[in-house]
Amino acid sequence: MTTRVIGIDAGGTKLLAGLVDEDLTVHRRVLRRWRGEDTDGVLDVLVGAIAEVRAGTGDVAAVGVGIPSQVDFERGRSMSSVHLPLWDVPVRDLLAERLGLPVYVDNDANLAALAEQRRGVAAGADHVVMLTLGTGIGGGLVLGGRLYRGASGAAAEIGHMVVDPDGPPCQGSCRNRGCLEALASGRALARAGAEAAAREPRSALGRAVAEGREMTGELVTELAMAGDATARAVLEDVGSKLGLGIANLVNIFNPQVVVVGGGASAAGELLLEPARAVVRRQVLPPSRDEVRVERARFGEEAGMLGAALLALEEGRA
């Protein structure tokens, strides 16, 4: 009988849970959205989602949880988080006590990187950089075939790399200006879309706002794919800013593959080709000619599947 685990991707605005087997087949999914919960509330939502996935499924071997936090992996402890109230919280132990199951906890983007490097678009590569574009920008590094977590679990905070010191303030508890997250995340895309709609009220983007539609990254992407020139220009500009961050990362780490995932990656080539153009201009050889910049194979499910892989791999260790 195949082993089944539960994978959780707890992002800045929503949570995705899945019952996953060793082939990474997902047998059940649960989606929840955060509504301003405090620390106890976040843990309650996690437990509730896991219970819903687990109901009537038989044996579940373990639970893997990805959180948008700096994580002390050895202790399963969230040290700090920009987007959720998880400061110095023993997430692993608290969940294991309530669930009666082994629980493994890591940074959400680390786990997205794990999924893509093991089974996704970067399979076979030993040097991989992962960016997850959602509410913020998460980062994961696979170096020499192993996840790189840093000295204390705080590595790969790629979203907080400053690319424009005169840029807009960053989000949440980050005190910086001009972080990559402030310029190229899903929220940044929505902000740029709103600014473009105000400048171009006759565009499809401008008309959508006038009709009362909420400005989101998804709306910008939808209208860009439908051919609106203003929305396409927004994606090109945000993609170029994303490319600045990627170029820096390629020059530093010399990866074989840079994987771009998360909800905002749904824009596909409209976002990625402008990013690649910046990489071609700004990265030094030989990295410039060797690196691939690819959209995640697993899309928004990369973090959840990576969390399942963590549970499977750690459970066998």
Side-chain angles (χ1 to χ4, degrees):
M1 182 176 177
T2 186
T3 301
R4 292 185 174 187
V5 297
I6 293 173
I8 303 283
D9 180 15
T13 57
K14 62 186 177 183
L15 173 155
L16 178 64
L19 178 68
V20 183
D21 66 24
E22 292 172 287
D23 295 325
L24 293 195
T25 300
V26 183
H27 297 273
R28 181 178 296 180
R29 294 172 176 82
V30 169
L31 177 66
R32 298 279 183 89
R33 293 191 180 274
W34 308 114
R35 294 178 172 84
E37 287 84 358
D38 59 11
T39 300
D40 288 339
V42 167
L43 294 172
D44 288 343
V45 172
L46 284 166
V47 170
I50 293 166
E52 187 174 344
V53 171
R54 191 180 182 187
T57 63
D59 289 338
V60 172
V63 177
V65 181
I67 51 178
S69 170
Q70 296 175 325
V71 175
D72 178 341
F73 179 71
E74 295 302 322
R75 296 192 298 160
R77 193 176 193 92
S78 173
M79 296 183 291
S80 68
S81 175
V82 172
H83 296 288
L84 290 177
L86 293 174
W87 288 70
D88 196 26
V89 178
V91 175
R92 181 192 66 192
D93 293 346
L94 291 173
L95 290 179
E97 182 179 358
R98 293 177 65 173
L99 297 170
L101 287 171
V103 176
Y104 305 96
V105 178
D106 204 345
N107 172 269
D108 54 347
N110 280 356
L111 297 180
L114 184 70
E116 293 293 338
Q117 189 266 340
R118 293 285 199 273
R119 310 276 185 95
V121 72
D126 287 334
H127 304 276
V128 179
V129 174
M130 177 90 200
L131 296 92
T132 57
L133 313 184
T135 305
I137 294 182
L141 296 171
V142 177
L143 304 177
R146 297 173 61 88
L147 272 174
Y148 179 75
R149 297 183 174 95
S152 59
E157 287 292 337
I158 288 170
H160 300 288
M161 169 175 50
V162 175
V163 293
D164 179 4
D166 298 318
C170 197
Q171 307 180 90
S173 60
C174 179
R175 299 178 180 180
N176 294 328
R177 300 185 71 92
C179 289
L180 188 62
E181 180 168 303
L183 299 171
S185 65
R187 280 187 176 172
L189 181 57
R191 184 181 65 248
E195 292 169 354
R199 290 194 306 270
E200 303 286 347
R202 295 184 181 180
S203 66
L205 204 58
R207 293 196 301 272
V209 171
E211 291 165 2
R213 294 188 67 180
E214 181 185 3
M215 180 55 68
T216 62
E218 290 89 344
L219 177 61
V220 176
T221 297
E222 172 193 330
L223 296 177
M225 289 184 167
D228 179 52
T230 300
R232 286 183 170 232
V234 170
L235 281 174
E236 182 176 359
D237 181 61
V238 170
S240 295
K241 291 170 180 172
L242 175 64
L244 286 173
I246 291 174
N248 289 333
L249 294 164
V250 174
N251 278 328
I252 293 167
F253 292 108
N254 181 213
Q256 295 153 288
V257 189
V258 175
V259 184
V260 180
S265 70
E269 293 303 303
L270 292 175
L271 185 73
L272 292 186
E273 190 47 42
R276 291 192 193 103
V278 174
V279 170
R280 288 191 291 268
R281 289 197 305 268
Q282 297 197 273
V283 172
L284 299 172
S287 296
R288 177 193 63 205
D289 306 313
E290 297 170 347
V291 71
R292 293 187 288 122
V293 179
E294 304 284 358
R295 184 181 174 189
R297 173 186 173 187
F298 296 122
E300 291 189 74
E301 294 199 337
M304 181 262 285
L305 293 173
L309 274 171
L310 179 73
L312 288 165
E313 293 184 4
E314 291 295 321
R316 290 194 293 262

PDB file of all heavy atoms in Angstrom, residues 144-159:
ATOM      1  N   GLY A 144      24.204  22.139  -4.814  1.00  0.00           N
ATOM      2  CA  GLY A 144      24.832  20.830  -4.712  1.00  0.00           C
ATOM      3  C   GLY A 144      23.837  19.723  -4.438  1.00  0.00           C
ATOM      4  O   GLY A 144      24.184  18.721  -3.804  1.00  0.00           O
ATOM      5  N   GLY A 145      22.589  19.901  -4.897  1.00  0.00           N
ATOM      6  CA  GLY A 145      21.574  18.873  -4.725  1.00  0.00           C
ATOM      7  C   GLY A 145      20.869  18.887  -3.384  1.00  0.00           C
ATOM      8  O   GLY A 145      20.002  18.045  -3.137  1.00  0.00           O
ATOM      9  N   ARG A 146      21.212  19.827  -2.511  1.00  0.00           N
ATOM     10  CA  ARG A 146      20.609  19.886  -1.175  1.00  0.00           C
ATOM     11  C   ARG A 146      19.998  21.257  -0.925  1.00  0.00           C
ATOM     12  O   ARG A 146      20.543  22.283  -1.371  1.00  0.00           O
ATOM     13  CB  ARG A 146      21.670  19.601  -0.100  1.00  0.00           C
ATOM     14  CG  ARG A 146      22.269  18.219  -0.168  1.00  0.00           C
ATOM     15  CD  ARG A 146      23.424  18.077   0.813  1.00  0.00           C
ATOM     16  NE  ARG A 146      22.976  18.274   2.187  1.00  0.00           N
ATOM     17  CZ  ARG A 146      22.498  17.312   2.970  1.00  0.00           C
ATOM     18  NH1 ARG A 146      22.412  16.084   2.510  1.00  0.00           N
ATOM     19  NH2 ARG A 146      22.126  17.563   4.204  1.00  0.00           N
ATOM     20  N   LEU A 147      18.886  21.267  -0.214  1.00  0.00           N
ATOM     21  CA  LEU A 147      18.311  22.541   0.199  1.00  0.00           C
ATOM     22  C   LEU A 147      19.312  23.301   1.055  1.00  0.00           C
ATOM     23  O   LEU A 147      19.917  22.734   1.972  1.00  0.00           O
ATOM     24  CB  LEU A 147      17.032  22.326   1.016  1.00  0.00           C
ATOM     25  CG  LEU A 147      15.718  22.214   0.254  1.00  0.00           C
ATOM     26  CD1 LEU A 147      14.586  21.865   1.222  1.00  0.00           C
ATOM     27  CD2 LEU A 147      15.379  23.485  -0.506  1.00  0.00           C
ATOM     28  N   TYR A 148      19.495  24.580   0.745  1.00  0.00           N
ATOM     29  CA  TYR A 148      20.393  25.420   1.536  1.00  0.00           C
ATOM     30  C   TYR A 148      19.545  26.314   2.431  1.00  0.00           C
ATOM     31  O   TYR A 148      18.768  27.137   1.944  1.00  0.00           O
ATOM     32  CB  TYR A 148      21.282  26.269   0.631  1.00  0.00           C
ATOM     33  CG  TYR A 148      22.206  27.161   1.423  1.00  0.00           C
ATOM     34  CD1 TYR A 148      23.327  26.635   2.063  1.00  0.00           C
ATOM     35  CD2 TYR A 148      21.940  28.515   1.567  1.00  0.00           C
ATOM     36  CE1 TYR A 148      24.163  27.434   2.815  1.00  0.00           C
ATOM     37  CE2 TYR A 148      22.771  29.329   2.317  1.00  0.00           C
ATOM     38  CZ  TYR A 148      23.884  28.779   2.944  1.00  0.00           C
ATOM     39  OH  TYR A 148      24.695  29.576   3.701  1.00  0.00           O
ATOM     40  N   ARG A 149      19.699  26.142   3.741  1.00  0.00           N
ATOM     41  CA  ARG A 149      18.885  26.884   4.702  1.00  0.00           C
ATOM     42  C   ARG A 149      19.670  27.974   5.423  1.00  0.00           C
ATOM     43  O   ARG A 149      19.080  28.784   6.122  1.00  0.00           O
ATOM     44  CB  ARG A 149      18.277  25.923   5.722  1.00  0.00           C
ATOM     45  CG  ARG A 149      17.324  24.893   5.106  1.00  0.00           C
ATOM     46  CD  ARG A 149      16.698  24.015   6.170  1.00  0.00           C
ATOM     47  NE  ARG A 149      15.679  23.135   5.619  1.00  0.00           N
ATOM     48  CZ  ARG A 149      15.886  21.883   5.229  1.00  0.00           C
ATOM     49  NH1 ARG A 149      17.106  21.364   5.326  1.00  0.00           N
ATOM     50  NH2 ARG A 149      14.900  21.154   4.743  1.00  0.00           N
ATOM     51  N   GLY A 150      20.985  27.995   5.288  1.00  0.00           N
ATOM     52  CA  GLY A 150      21.791  28.988   5.974  1.00  0.00           C
ATOM     53  C   GLY A 150      22.175  28.550   7.370  1.00  0.00           C
ATOM     54  O   GLY A 150      21.843  27.454   7.825  1.00  0.00           O
ATOM     55  N   ALA A 151      22.876  29.427   8.080  1.00  0.00           N
ATOM     56  CA  ALA A 151      23.408  29.093   9.400  1.00  0.00           C
ATOM     57  C   ALA A 151      22.316  28.841  10.424  1.00  0.00           C
ATOM     58  O   ALA A 151      22.456  27.991  11.310  1.00  0.00           O
ATOM     59  CB  ALA A 151      24.323  30.220   9.883  1.00  0.00           C
ATOM     60  N   SER A 152      21.210  29.572  10.330  1.00  0.00           N
ATOM     61  CA  SER A 152      20.154  29.434  11.342  1.00  0.00           C
ATOM     62  C   SER A 152      18.775  29.259  10.731  1.00  0.00           C
ATOM     63  O   SER A 152      17.765  29.395  11.414  1.00  0.00           O
ATOM     64  CB  SER A 152      20.151  30.662  12.267  1.00  0.00           C
ATOM     65  OG  SER A 152      19.942  31.847  11.516  1.00  0.00           O
ATOM     66  N   GLY A 153      18.698  28.957   9.433  1.00  0.00           N
ATOM     67  CA  GLY A 153      17.409  28.752   8.783  1.00  0.00           C
ATOM     68  C   GLY A 153      16.844  29.993   8.136  1.00  0.00           C
ATOM     69  O   GLY A 153      15.693  29.989   7.691  1.00  0.00           O
ATOM     70  N   ALA A 154      17.625  31.058   8.060  1.00  0.00           N
ATOM     71  CA  ALA A 154      17.105  32.337   7.570  1.00  0.00           C
ATOM     72  C   ALA A 154      17.562  32.669   6.150  1.00  0.00           C
ATOM     73  O   ALA A 154      17.386  33.797   5.686  1.00  0.00           O
ATOM     74  CB  ALA A 154      17.526  33.465   8.512  1.00  0.00           C
ATOM     75  N   ALA A 155      18.145  31.676   5.439  1.00  0.00           N
ATOM     76  CA  ALA A 155      18.658  31.947   4.101  1.00  0.00           C
ATOM     77  C   ALA A 155      17.532  32.121   3.080  1.00  0.00           C
ATOM     78  O   ALA A 155      16.373  31.773   3.325  1.00  0.00           O
ATOM     79  CB  ALA A 155      19.573  30.809   3.656  1.00  0.00           C
ATOM     80  N   ALA A 156      17.923  32.673   1.916  1.00  0.00           N
ATOM     81  CA  ALA A 156      17.065  32.753   0.717  1.00  0.00           C
ATOM     82  C   ALA A 156      15.848  33.654   0.903  1.00  0.00           C
ATOM     83  O   ALA A 156      14.808  33.410   0.306  1.00  0.00           O
ATOM     84  CB  ALA A 156      16.639  31.359   0.265  1.00  0.00           C
ATOM     85  N   GLU A 157      15.981  34.711   1.710  1.00  0.00           N
ATOM     86  CA  GLU A 157      14.912  35.710   1.764  1.00  0.00           C
ATOM     87  C   GLU A 157      15.059  36.622   0.532  1.00  0.00           C
ATOM     88  O   GLU A 157      15.328  37.816   0.628  1.00  0.00           O
ATOM     89  CB  GLU A 157      14.992  36.507   3.066  1.00  0.00           C
ATOM     90  CG  GLU A 157      14.553  35.740   4.291  1.00  0.00           C
ATOM     91  CD  GLU A 157      13.048  35.444   4.272  1.00  0.00           C
ATOM     92  OE1 GLU A 157      12.303  36.165   3.579  1.00  0.00           O
ATOM     93  OE2 GLU A 157      12.639  34.475   4.943  1.00  0.00           O
ATOM     94  N   ILE A 158      14.850  36.006  -0.609  1.00  0.00           N
ATOM     95  CA  ILE A 158      15.077  36.662  -1.893  1.00  0.00           C
ATOM     96  C   ILE A 158      14.186  37.882  -2.080  1.00  0.00           C
ATOM     97  O   ILE A 158      14.605  38.897  -2.649  1.00  0.00           O
ATOM     98  CB  ILE A 158      14.878  35.636  -3.029  1.00  0.00           C
ATOM     99  CG1 ILE A 158      16.046  34.643  -3.040  1.00  0.00           C
ATOM    100  CG2 ILE A 158      14.738  36.326  -4.381  1.00  0.00           C
ATOM    101  CD1 ILE A 158      15.842  33.456  -3.962  1.00  0.00           C
ATOM    102  N   GLY A 159      12.960  37.803  -1.595  1.00  0.00           N
ATOM    103  CA  GLY A 159      12.026  38.919  -1.763  1.00  0.00           C
ATOM    104  C   GLY A 159      12.492  40.196  -1.101  1.00  0.00           C
ATOM    105  O   GLY A 159      12.038  41.281  -1.476  1.00  0.00           O
TER     106      GLY A 159
END
